[in-house]
Amino acid sequence: MNTREHPRIPDVQDTDVLIIGSGAAGLRAALAAAAVPGIDVTLLTKSVLKESNTRYAQGGIAVAMNVDDTLALHVQDTLVAGAGLCDVSAVETLVAEGIPRVAELIDWGAAFDWEGTLPRFTQEAAHSRRRIVHKGDATGRETTDVLVQQVLNTEGIHVLTNAFALEMLTAENQCYGVLALVEGERVALRAKSTILATGGLGRLYPCTSNPEVATGDGIAAAWRAGCELIDMEFVQFHPTTLFLDGAPHFLISEAVRGEGGKLLTIRGERFMEKYHELGELAPRDVVSRAIHTEMHLTGFPCVYLDITHKPAEFIVERFPTIFETTQRYGLDIRRDIIPVRPGAHFMMGGVRTNTEAETNVRGLYACGEVACTGVHGANRLASNSLLECLVYGSRAGTNAATFAQTETVGFSHVDSHAPDTAPLADDEVEDVTRTMRETLWKNVGIERDAAGLQETVAALQQLARTPRHQEMQDVTTSRRPGETNVTTPEMSAERLANYERTERIANYERYEATNMLDVARCITEAALLRTESRGAHYRSDFPEKDDTTWHRRIILTRDKAPRLIALEG
Ligand code: FAD
Ligand code: SIN
């Protein structure tokens, strides 16, 4: 057991089920856990309650509810996009349980766009049916608002904001909560079961649709605690993020192409037909690579998306957020074509779980983007992620609460797991992060090859060459559960308004940078191992798919050599 002295025993707080992250997965998990009798839930999040990738989701939620749709078709489209690496039973669960989960969201008040007696389903790439429920182009905001309101209205869920999960607390391959920084103070949050719902890692790349919080913290902490990671080479690049001087890499939803948007080169020529029979609605990896190639061929740093042929009123009504945001930067998408280029968007891989959301560490569950059940394979189908959060968030919450009901734990001696690298000094963070991002963008982005990946391994080693730090060490405590309790906030509308007004008060950047370095190493290692091209992983030195060798998935564990597992069929 990895025990060391630590400078001081942190404050200790106890709960039955601890959930880390307040996106759709964490919020849905909290509701499911709190529905189990006698269970006390703590939801911890590093920023304000509503800040997450979820909040920025635009396109919608894929669900087989339309009159001409079936579960089998939705499963089939997901498997095709996943390029042979999906776990079929995880996909079947996603699609089947997606229907009651979305229906329940509507019951709770989600005001999706509606037409007659059905939601107004939209089209997105690689879907054989119109099956995306949405609220204009702000589906994530609506989903977040509804779930947050449900959480605040539910007794037994305690919320801690501005609280950063540093390291998992474990002993003998069982998880007992997390060591966290809560408004700058180190606190051991002990729990009978713990759910990681920390989302994705787009911020590892300089060009990304993801907000600041998406730094892969949960993946890094889980890996350090002995969790298996899987499919880490599969990072999805969304084809169309805004490319304008001074503007953020704001997402221009795939639904714009779903509603007829065309991609053009700087010369005004359409090009997608050259790359795929589905043109602009080809799978995301195909469109991103095509744009990457056209940018290279034209020597121009972006392509353009043209929706100007649609009626002006339709554009404003269907895409109000995109319309308003681009307008702020001087573009009028009713008349102007939109400069776009691919950006890091979604992590298909992550902490390996089964369909019960269990990891290989007892008492530790994972759901949403941080987790990898295998539903996305090598490439996620558009709008399947929010669905995954609802379905597997709910499963994680129920299972973690059931586990907590039967668990009589003594927290007498638990470990936390220090990273291999020191948390960087404040003045190092900017340089290290910038160098890491540029290196990943160049070598571990849309196109990869052995030379670039090896160069990245060396660069990451160099960046991490700081002494093993002594700060986030083991937690040894003799206190028992229940001795100190997590403060229970008043769940009022006023309190919610305060959450919204609160700025991110603590500076977690140096811990995030350390986590990003760990996760970058895992992505690069897996990308180097997979000597083929499949889904979002494209190796220019191995441009073909190789089912003979690579109908397999790569598992990484901190203290073991990488392992390959074969897929059935
Ligand atoms: P998140 O929503 O990212 O939540 C993670 C939470 O964990 C956050 O609250 C974060 O603050 C917290 N957290 C992270 N690290 C720590 C830490 N160390 N300590 C404490 N808390 C922590 N998917 C779709 O299906 N449909 C769409 O239309 C769609 N559009 C998208 C548009 C954009 C711009 C983006 C970025 C993504 C989009 N996606 C879409 C993907 C989808 O939104 C995400 O995959 C999904 O919302 C992830 O949800 P989550 O709950 O797993 O994580
Ligand atoms: C989008 O609106 O294009 C994003 C959809 C997704 O990531 O599923």
Side-chain angles (χ1 to χ4, degrees):
M1 197 185 293
N2 176 24
T3 53
R4 300 179 213 109
E5 289 303 309
H6 53 81
R8 73 182 183 88
I9 294 175
D11 292 331
V12 179
Q13 303 184 350
D14 294 328
T15 189
D16 291 328
V17 178
L18 176 67
I19 299 168
I20 308 165
S22 61
L27 293 166
R28 189 60 193 80
L31 293 170
V36 173
I39 290 296
D40 167 70
V41 177
T42 298
L43 180 69
L44 167 92
T45 192
K46 72 175 169 181
S47 180
V48 294
L49 189 56
K50 288 190 177 179
E51 183 60 348
S52 63
N53 268 358
T54 300
R55 172 179 170 173
Y56 301 94
Q58 293 186 0
I61 310 179
V63 63
M65 280 176 159
N66 210 345
V67 282
D68 63 347
D69 208 352
T70 64
L71 296 181
L73 281 172
H74 191 179
V75 167
Q76 181 61 17
D77 292 347
T78 304
L79 298 181
V80 170
L85 280 205
C86 293
D87 180 310
V88 178
S89 96
V91 174
E92 287 169 350
T93 301
L94 171 81
V95 166
E97 290 185 16
I99 293 177
R101 292 291 79 81
V102 170
E104 163 188 85
L105 201 60
I106 294 169
D107 276 353
W108 290 339
F112 295 129
D113 293 356
W114 213 260
E115 203 162 46
T117 55
L118 283 175
R120 187 161 141 206
F121 296 100
T122 194
Q123 181 75 54
E124 284 186 336
H127 285 275
S128 61
R129 292 290 183 274
R130 290 182 81 90
R131 66 163 70 93
I132 320 294
V133 297
H134 59 96
K135 160 95 174 169
D137 57 0
T139 310
R141 202 162 58 214
E142 182 68 8
T143 304
T144 303
D145 287 349
V146 167
L147 289 174
V148 163
Q149 201 51 58
Q150 283 295 119
V151 162
L152 296 182
N153 290 342
T154 302
E155 280 198 21
I157 304 178
H158 319 295
V159 177
L160 285 176
T161 57
N162 281 303
F164 188 97
L166 293 166
E167 302 297 336
M168 310 315 299
L169 303 174
T170 64
E172 289 160 4
N173 202 42
Q174 176 154 349
C175 182
Y176 295 99
V178 79
L179 180 65
L181 277 176
V182 182
E183 305 205 349
E185 289 295 309
R186 282 191 304 143
V187 180
L189 291 168
R190 302 186 306 188
K192 294 176 181 170
S193 58
T194 305
I195 302 176
L196 272 174
T198 46
L201 49 70
R203 286 278 158 171
L204 266 73
Y205 291 86
C207 181
T208 178
S209 62
N210 290 192
E212 274 181 32
V213 292
T215 51
D217 300 339
I219 297 183
W223 176 72
R224 293 193 292 260
C227 281
E228 293 176 339
L229 304 184
I230 190 164
D231 296 346
M232 289 297 288
E233 63 276 37
F234 297 110
V235 179
Q236 182 171 76
F237 292 82
H238 195 289
T240 55
T241 64
L242 184 63
F243 183 67
L244 260 188
D245 243 8
H249 300 290
F250 176 74
L251 189 83
I252 308 294
S253 175
E254 193 153 293
V256 174
R257 279 173 286 130
E259 299 290 358
K262 306 294 174 224
L263 286 166
L264 307 173
T265 65
I266 174 70
R267 300 188 196 106
E269 292 155 357
R270 282 184 71 184
F271 55 88
M272 272 315 301
E273 287 86 353
K274 280 193 294 185
Y275 295 92
H276 199 280
E277 65 205 21
L278 292 173
E280 275 83 358
L281 293 181
R284 231 169 239 186
D285 57 314
V286 176
V287 183
S288 285
R289 263 196 313 281
I291 295 175
H292 184 77
T293 306
E294 291 296 323
M295 281 163 43
H296 182 73
L297 290 175
T298 58
F300 201 70
C302 68
V303 297
Y304 290 87
L305 182 58
D306 184 4
I307 187 77
T308 56
H309 56 283
K310 287 292 216 185
E313 317 76 66
F314 170 82
I315 294 173
V316 177
E317 191 244 339
R318 178 67 184 82
F319 301 113
T321 316
I322 297 174
F323 174 70
E324 280 158 29
T325 307
T326 46
Q327 212 175 34
R328 252 183 271 142
Y329 296 97
L331 269 189
D332 182 343
I333 65 170
R334 294 170 299 185
R335 288 190 288 273
D336 299 327
I337 55 177
I338 313 166
V340 289
R341 62 184 294 176
H345 183 61
F346 181 82
M347 183 53 174
M348 268 75 71
V351 180
R352 186 182 185 206
T353 67
N354 58 18
T355 51
E356 301 304 325
E358 294 164 331
T359 71
N360 61 304
V361 172
R362 197 161 178 268
L364 180 59
Y365 298 74
C367 56
E369 195 170 336
V370 68
C372 182
T373 55
V375 284
H376 306 303
N379 185 34
R380 173 171 68 85
L381 187 66
S383 289
N384 263 358
S385 174
L386 290 176
L387 191 71
E388 175 189 26
C389 292
L390 298 175
V391 169
Y392 286 100
S394 173
R395 286 184 156 232
T398 305
N399 291 334
T402 309
F403 180 89
Q405 265 185 327
T406 54
E407 191 64 11
T408 47
V409 291
F411 296 109
S412 59
H413 197 108
V414 289
D415 297 344
S416 70
H417 301 271
D420 284 340
T421 51
L424 302 156
D426 283 340
D427 59 356
E428 293 173 316
V429 168
E430 200 180 320
D431 270 0
V432 168
T433 309
R434 188 181 338 102
T435 308
M436 178 206 66
R437 287 180 175 146
E438 281 166 6
T439 311
L440 289 190
W441 188 249
K442 180 161 81 95
N443 296 331
V444 200
I446 294 172
E447 264 191 50
R448 300 140 180 212
D449 64 22
L453 291 166
Q454 273 151 2
E455 181 187 302
T456 308
V457 171
L460 291 171
Q461 266 163 6
Q462 181 71 26
L463 290 173
R465 201 165 289 155
T466 33
R468 203 173 236 273
H469 77 110
Q470 297 298 310
E471 201 186 327
M472 287 189 286
Q473 299 260 339
D474 306 14
V475 179
T476 309
T477 170
S478 57
R479 294 196 212 181
R480 288 169 183 280
E483 277 182 359
T484 30
N485 287 317
V486 176
T487 35
T488 311
E490 287 297 304
M491 299 301 178
S492 63
E494 190 188 354
R495 183 159 183 104
L496 173 60
N498 284 338
Y499 286 135
E500 295 312 294
R501 277 198 293 274
T502 314
E503 287 306 314
R504 199 165 168 213
I505 55 170
N507 176 3
Y508 301 127
E509 282 174 14
R510 61 201 198 107
Y511 299 104
E512 292 171 337
T514 309
N515 287 334
M516 289 194 281
L517 286 177
D518 275 348
V519 175
R521 253 168 44 188
C522 294
I523 296 173
T524 310
E525 187 180 347
L528 193 52
L529 272 176
R530 185 172 287 278
T531 47
E532 66 151 359
S533 292
R534 183 187 293 269
H537 171 71
Y538 183 79
R539 289 277 302 252
S540 55
D541 48 351
F542 295 94
E544 303 301 327
K545 188 159 131 189
D546 172 6
D547 270 330
T548 314
T549 315
W550 282 110
H551 193 227
R552 297 195 287 178
R553 302 170 69 195
I554 300 170
I555 297 178
L556 302 177
T557 321
R558 185 185 188 179
D559 295 325
K560 294 187 198 145
R563 212 153 49 85
L564 301 179
I565 51 161
L567 279 124
E568 286 164 21

